[in-house]
Amino acid sequence: MTENAAQQPASNPELPTQYVPAEVEGKLYERWVERGYFEADEKSEKPPFTIVIPPPNVTGSLHLGHAFEHTLIDAVTRRKRMQGYETLWQPGMDHAGIATQNVVERELAKDGKSRHDLGREAFVERVWQWKAESGGQISGQMRRLGDGVDWSRERFTMDEGLSQAVQTIFKKLYDDELIYRAERIINWCPRCLTAISDIEVEYQDDEGELVSLKYGDGDDSVVDATTRAETMLGDTAVAVHPDDARYAHLVGRRIRLPLTDRTIPVVADEHVDPEFGTGAVKVTPAHDPNDFEIGRRHDLPNITVMDERAVITVPGPFQGLDRMEARSAIVAALRAEGRIVAEKRPYTHSVGHCSRCKTTVEPRLSMQWWVKVDPLARAAGDAVRDGKVAIHPKEMEPRYFAWVDNLRDWCISRQLWWGHRIPVWYGPNGEQICVGPDDEAPTGEGWTQDTDVLDTWFSSGLWPFSTLGWPEQTRSLEKFYPNSVLITGYDILFFWVARMMMFGLYAMDGTPPFHTIALHGMVRDQFGKKMSKSFGNAVNPLDWMDKYGSDAVRFTLARGANPGVDVPIGEDWVQGSRNFANKVWNATRFAMMNGATVEGPLPDAADMSATDRWILSRLGAVVAEVDAYYEDYQFAKLSDSLFHFAWDEVFDWYVELSKTSFFEGGESAKVSGRVLGEVLDTTLRLLHPVIPFVTETLWTTLTGKESVVVAEWPADSGFRDAAAEREIEHLQQVITEVRRFRADQGLQPGQKVPARLDLSGTPLAAHEAAIRQLLRLQPEGEGFHATATLPVAGATVALDLSGTIDVEAERKRLTKDLGAAEKEKAQAIAKLGNEAFLAKAPDNVVDKIRGRLAKAEADIERLTAQVAGLPQG
């Protein structure tokens, strides 16, 4: 972009009387994209700032959580772009193996077909077709929100470049003996028909039954309890603690397994807790991870009793029954044999469910591919401990360490057809070859490729560098790796963040994938409840955008974003943000109609009024404050700071106080017009990262320049004027107190009242015209009779309210309020003087009482003055 282009005047300098988001947002976004504002140049000499989008599923659509996260990332990247960084916000989507395959399989089922009817190759082709036609609708929704991503770099985890990266790192891990194949207990989903990782299992309390079963007979019997009676068909031992004297005589002996013709041994194992239940546990190595380890220690056989759909396969009366059907049938059969010692029903206990289809997960012995995570996880933990990577807020560090320091080996194979196929071939004589992207796959009779695909998190774990061209040493990789920051939810700290840390450090020679991990919370409804379709409280952010505009949705989300803390949100808050956008529009339009300008240098401070110096002093402080909040990822605080500065100080105070100058004209009006232009210019730039659309329209109209997207981020001018700030603070106190008094008397806002102002001894004499205008105070005139006198901020305001109020009724009301304030003061003093109370009460409770005391004292002072100001009868 040339300098001349930056100075081109806006094509439409007129502002409509109303701001209508729908007429503005779409056109503005396409203009930004067409002009290449969001494109990152790896050849640039500017310092880089890189951030990735947590890749949404290709099956997904924009939900409120996406809108929240994208708003925060967009705000950060827009500010960095304005600060002069070569900014890359990397977009893309995840192929979402299980979710996408499920979608396409459901489509096939409508025609009475399954993927097996098509065959693997044709099915995968069908998924690609679905992706082209229906996938990725979220991209259009991101544009609605205003996401400033570099669309020219959009990636997909199954595209050619990323597939090469996946194959490369698999081969590297395989050669380093960090990937292996083994038969282990995994989480199996009987609905999705695939293994899923530990972090893809959601636990919830389900109602079931706890059944106590007797194995063996007479002295050779033991009792144990189970919630999964159907697995007893696969029991290969009963385990007791080595030091449990109750069962010492049985250790090493065999007892009869009910409903079968088998006997099983009693083994001693320290895993058993002798204090829990009967101190004896059934051991089913093929269907329980803890039992599997006991089985390995005692060389027990593994008997699988269910197929992949959780249907019983053991020959006999239960064969062919679903696991839940078999559970009831087996309990009934055991009851008939007199083997049921006790039953507890219902019995509430934690049960794992598939995070995608909600089916109860079945622990199952299966041959799978695994990543040996110990050295990778250790490096991921050390990177944070050594300060290479900062977690924000720091309080989240223990959660991260608790995870990476206790990671078990990661099951990365999935029994799907859609995904990155495992690059391993098996030969006719038991050969096993891992093929890299530059290797030729073996051919010839008897050679077959592994049928499994990789866990989706395997490819998304490469996202920070695979999207930049790795394994090729590209200019983009050199320029933009590592990422500057990762902004993501604490809920995927384990799913995604830990994977990226492990792979980034491993693949990039110890360089972590990002410098900072900034964690945010979850969006909840206005009552703090999790949003869910099943709860009936889920919100489509597009509905709110249609109704209130994208800026209103963004500002609401940002204003609730405290680091690592969940965000409650309700529609009335979005309405409030829409009102703020309208306030910014109307106030800017009014200011421009009344001479606000950015032309020429700022006047000397000596030529400014105290009001002008005050607002510029406050502006400098707010710029510094907002910068500090951005660096600390305090989005709620920076949004709140800008809200109150813009609405309260600029629009409600400075614009109002400057109206007198504007109406009178002359040199003071020119000075105030230039100051107001400077304040608006800076304020709109400060607001732009959070509310980009309305600020773009206003700023380009105000300045005549091309776009605020590529404008310079405001710098703290360093200008401070403590005297002006004190002066305007006194002025605000006078106006606020008199307004409150007028309201207390029931006077209408526009009702004029005669008044005498005594401003001697204060710096407020220069503001008398503004005070009278804002308070609707007429000159005292003939026959003036002060019926109320208000001393405030060193000044005295005497009002003639004769004929407007009932003095005795007002005296009675004020006296009653004064008594209530004195009572409140006494109660607060009593509590604060109680040592026992102070010793036990939390700090926030004590602080609240101190606040009540301060308010009561202020009310007493105010009410006393009002009573004294009433005319005497």
Side-chain angles (χ1 to χ4, degrees):
M1 186 186 69
T2 65
E3 182 63 25
N4 288 336
Q7 299 300 324
Q8 289 177 355
S11 59
N12 181 16
E14 299 297 325
L15 286 173
T17 55
Q18 284 188 315
Y19 176 57
V20 184
E23 296 178 1
V24 172
E25 295 176 348
K27 296 174 185 176
L28 279 185
Y29 189 84
E30 291 311 312
R31 185 190 307 164
W32 293 336
V33 173
E34 288 166 6
R35 292 180 176 177
Y37 294 155
F38 305 142
E39 293 181 12
D41 181 5
E42 65 264 23
K43 300 175 185 177
S44 169
E45 295 299 318
K46 296 179 182 178
F49 178 84
T50 316
I51 192 166
V52 297
I53 188 174
N57 288 353
V58 68
T59 58
S61 60
L62 193 74
H63 57 64
L64 207 55
H66 285 130
F68 172 57
E69 183 166 83
H70 289 204
T71 294
L72 305 187
I73 298 175
D74 196 41
V76 168
T77 54
R78 284 179 182 270
R79 172 174 174 263
K80 286 296 182 180
R81 189 178 294 113
M82 295 171 76
Q83 286 181 312
Y85 287 81
E86 193 60 39
T87 302
L88 169 61
W89 183 8
Q90 175 67 54
M93 286 182 291
D94 191 282
H95 66 277
I98 296 176
T100 306
Q101 180 159 317
N102 283 346
V103 168
V104 178
E105 286 196 83
R106 283 196 296 269
E107 291 296 312
L108 288 175
K110 293 177 182 177
D111 298 326
K113 295 182 179 179
S114 73
R115 60 183 163 119
H116 300 286
D117 294 321
L118 273 66
R120 184 170 193 142
E121 187 174 337
F123 176 77
V124 171
E125 185 178 331
R126 182 69 173 265
V127 179
W128 277 108
Q129 180 184 339
W130 175 87
K131 191 258 182 187
E133 294 172 355
S134 308
Q137 63 172 309
I138 201 167
S139 297
Q141 296 166 340
M142 287 166 59
R143 293 171 182 265
R144 284 287 312 276
L145 189 64
D147 286 4
V149 300
D150 186 346
W151 291 111
S152 69
R153 293 173 177 264
E154 187 175 13
R155 304 303 297 269
F156 180 54
T157 50
M158 285 284 285
D159 68 27
E160 184 177 351
L162 271 64
S163 295
Q164 182 184 21
V166 167
Q167 199 171 350
T168 299
I169 200 163
F170 187 100
K171 170 72 170 171
K172 181 175 170 60
L173 288 162
Y174 183 92
D175 290 345
D176 288 345
E177 298 183 349
L178 293 174
I179 280 184
Y180 63 95
R181 190 169 184 244
E183 192 175 43
R184 300 276 180 84
I185 292 287
I186 47 88
N187 302 297
W188 182 265
C189 176
R191 162 62 184 79
C192 298
L193 299 180
T194 182
I196 58 176
S197 65
D198 291 343
I199 53 178
E200 293 170 300
V201 178
E202 293 179 348
Y203 288 90
Q204 67 183 50
D205 286 341
D206 287 357
E207 282 193 359
E209 59 182 354
L210 182 67
V211 183
S212 297
L213 313 176
K214 186 172 88 170
Y215 289 19
D217 297 293
D219 292 338
D220 291 347
S221 66
V222 294
V223 174
D224 64 35
T226 181
T227 58
R228 301 165 67 218
E230 68 280 6
T231 62
M232 58 92 50
L233 298 175
D235 287 356
T236 55
V238 170
V240 297
H241 194 274
D243 299 331
D244 194 335
R246 293 172 296 176
Y247 304 111
H249 67 290
L250 285 177
V251 174
R253 298 174 63 177
R254 301 182 72 86
I255 60 176
R256 179 172 170 262
L257 179 65
L259 305 183
T260 72
D261 58 1
R262 294 191 290 118
T263 60
I264 57 176
V266 177
V267 299
D269 195 281
E270 291 188 353
H271 170 76
V272 179
D273 180 1
E275 302 299 323
F276 182 77
T278 63
V281 297
K282 59 193 285 298
V283 181
T284 320
H287 292 278
D288 184 274
N290 294 321
D291 292 3
F292 177 76
E293 296 301 326
I294 293 175
R296 290 176 67 178
R297 288 193 289 271
H298 298 278
D299 199 25
L300 299 175
N302 301 315
I303 299 177
T304 300
V305 300
M306 297 177 218
D307 66 11
E308 61 183 8
R309 297 183 184 277
V311 173
I312 301 299
T313 57
V314 177
F318 311 111
Q319 187 174 12
L321 295 180
D322 171 80
R323 56 182 166 166
M324 301 304 176
E325 296 171 333
R327 181 175 301 171
S328 299
I330 288 172
V331 169
L334 289 167
R335 189 182 297 111
E337 279 196 7
R339 295 286 175 176
I340 301 295
V341 176
E343 296 179 70
K344 185 175 183 180
R345 188 184 296 111
Y347 177 72
T348 302
H349 60 130
S350 181
V351 178
H353 295 260
C354 174
S355 62
R356 290 175 177 82
C357 71
K358 312 309 177 187
T359 301
T360 300
V361 168
E362 188 65 42
R364 186 169 189 258
L365 187 63
S366 181
M367 183 67 75
Q368 302 285 345
W369 286 94
W370 304 80
V371 172
K372 188 182 295 181
V373 300
D374 184 61
L376 304 175
R378 197 180 316 120
D382 289 345
V384 174
R385 288 188 176 93
D386 297 344
K388 289 182 180 179
V389 179
I391 293 180
H392 185 86
K394 194 173 178 63
E395 299 81 58
M396 287 286 181
E397 278 188 6
R399 295 182 66 172
Y400 175 79
F401 291 134
W403 179 257
V404 297
D405 293 347
N406 296 285
L407 265 181
R408 296 189 298 181
D409 284 359
W410 171 19
C411 177
I412 56 172
S413 46
R414 299 291 182 267
Q415 289 64 55
L416 305 171
W417 286 357
W418 172 244
H420 296 102
R421 195 163 173 182
I422 289 177
V424 172
W425 270 254
Y426 306 107
N429 299 311
E431 303 95 333
Q432 180 174 298
I433 296 177
C434 180
V435 177
D438 300 324
D439 301 332
E440 289 289 334
T443 56
E445 188 176 350
W447 282 94
T448 58
Q449 186 178 357
D450 195 299
T451 58
D452 288 352
V453 301
L454 287 163
D455 178 11
T456 297
W457 296 104
F458 190 94
S459 52
S460 60
L462 314 180
W463 193 248
F465 52 93
S466 64
T467 52
L468 298 173
W470 187 90
E472 301 299 324
Q473 295 303 305
T474 63
R475 295 186 72 164
S476 289
L477 191 66
E478 182 181 352
K479 176 74 174 178
F480 295 115
Y481 187 89
N483 286 196
S484 307
V485 61
L486 174 74
I487 296 177
T488 192
Y490 64 71
D491 57 315
I492 58 173
L493 182 62
F494 316 130
F495 286 85
W496 188 45
V497 179
R499 311 299 193 209
M500 287 189 290
M501 286 285 283
M502 290 192 295
F503 281 165
L505 290 161
Y506 173 73
M508 301 301 292
D509 300 319
T511 302
F514 18 73
H515 298 303
T516 301
I517 302 168
L519 298 170
H520 59 72
M522 308 284 288
V523 178
R524 297 182 177 272
D525 71 12
Q526 59 189 320
F527 305 108
K529 191 175 182 180
K530 180 180 178 181
M531 285 192 173
S532 167
K533 289 181 180 178
S534 60
F535 294 156
N537 63 351
V539 173
N540 182 346
L542 295 177
D543 293 340
W544 281 354
M545 289 184 215
D546 290 341
K547 197 170 181 181
Y548 304 110
S550 296
D551 285 334
V553 174
R554 290 171 61 114
F555 194 69
T556 304
L557 292 166
R559 206 171 174 196
N562 291 296
V565 178
D566 288 346
V567 183
I569 184 172
E571 187 170 358
D572 55 337
W573 303 339
V574 186
Q575 292 175 5
S577 295
R578 187 266 317 273
N579 295 343
F580 176 63
N582 287 342
K583 180 78 171 182
V584 174
W585 179 274
N586 294 333
T588 303
R589 184 173 179 273
F590 171 85
M592 292 175 63
M593 290 171 61
N594 286 276
T597 179
V598 295
E599 295 179 6
L602 273 174
D604 291 337
D607 297 327
M608 296 181 191
S609 68
T611 309
D612 296 329
R613 298 194 305 276
W614 162 72
I615 197 63
L616 289 176
S617 181
R618 289 293 304 127
L619 179 66
V622 167
V623 170
E625 187 174 72
V626 168
D627 274 332
Y629 286 145
Y630 262 114
E631 295 304 314
D632 200 33
Y633 304 99
Q634 296 278 2
F635 297 100
K637 290 183 178 179
L638 71 89
S639 299
D640 212 47
S641 177
L642 287 170
F643 174 87
H644 288 294
F645 176 70
W647 191 309
D648 300 343
E649 298 185 87
V650 178
F651 303 142
D652 278 0
W653 282 110
Y654 182 73
V655 170
E656 291 298 315
L657 290 172
S658 300
K659 281 182 178 178
T660 304
S661 296
F662 291 140
F663 293 157
E664 291 177 354
E667 194 59 34
S668 64
K670 291 180 181 179
V671 171
S672 293
R674 180 63 189 90
V675 170
L676 181 53
E678 183 75 11
V679 172
L680 288 174
D681 172 11
T682 303
T683 303
L684 291 171
R685 283 184 284 150
L686 288 172
L687 283 167
H688 172 73
V690 182
I691 50 173
F693 294 108
V694 68
T695 51
E696 170 80 337
T697 306
L698 293 173
W699 189 85
T700 52
T701 306
L702 173 69
T703 65
K705 295 181 181 180
E706 181 184 350
S707 175
V708 70
V709 176
V710 289
E712 186 176 342
W713 179 253
D716 178 7
S717 65
F719 179 81
R720 300 290 190 277
D721 191 325
E725 290 198 34
R726 286 194 299 272
E727 182 173 331
I728 301 305
E729 184 180 342
H730 288 155
L731 176 60
Q732 290 172 328
Q733 288 176 2
V734 170
I735 293 172
T736 300
E737 191 58 42
V738 176
R739 278 177 173 167
R740 181 188 292 128
F741 180 77
R742 287 178 57 109
D744 287 344
Q745 311 311 309
L747 299 178
Q748 295 300 313
Q751 186 175 350
K752 294 182 179 180
V753 177
R756 178 189 300 135
L757 304 184
D758 182 1
L759 307 176
S760 57
T762 75
L764 300 180
H767 302 284
E768 180 167 351
I771 292 172
R772 287 189 177 278
Q773 179 183 325
L774 292 175
L775 293 173
R776 303 295 190 269
L777 302 180
Q778 295 177 317
E780 51 191 280
E782 280 188 42
F784 176 82
H785 176 60
T787 60
T789 303
L790 304 177
V792 55
T796 303
V797 179
L799 305 173
D800 184 354
L801 302 178
S802 55
T804 64
I805 64 169
D806 182 333
V807 174
E808 286 309 311
E810 181 62 17
R811 190 189 311 279
K812 186 179 295 185
R813 184 186 70 80
L814 290 173
T815 302
K816 180 180 178 182
D817 290 348
L818 182 59
E822 288 172 339
K823 182 179 179 182
E824 176 75 5
K825 176 182 176 180
Q827 289 175 341
I829 290 175
K831 283 192 175 182
L832 293 173
N834 186 332
E835 294 296 333
F837 170 77
L838 293 177
K840 295 179 181 179
D843 290 344
N844 64 317
V845 173
V846 176
D847 289 342
K848 187 175 181 180
I849 293 172
R850 289 192 178 116
R852 284 167 50 190
L853 174 60
K855 181 180 183 302
E857 289 175 337
D859 287 344
I860 290 169
E861 182 180 356
R862 173 176 60 84
L863 293 165
T864 301
Q866 289 183 14
V867 170
L870 291 173
Q872 300 299 314

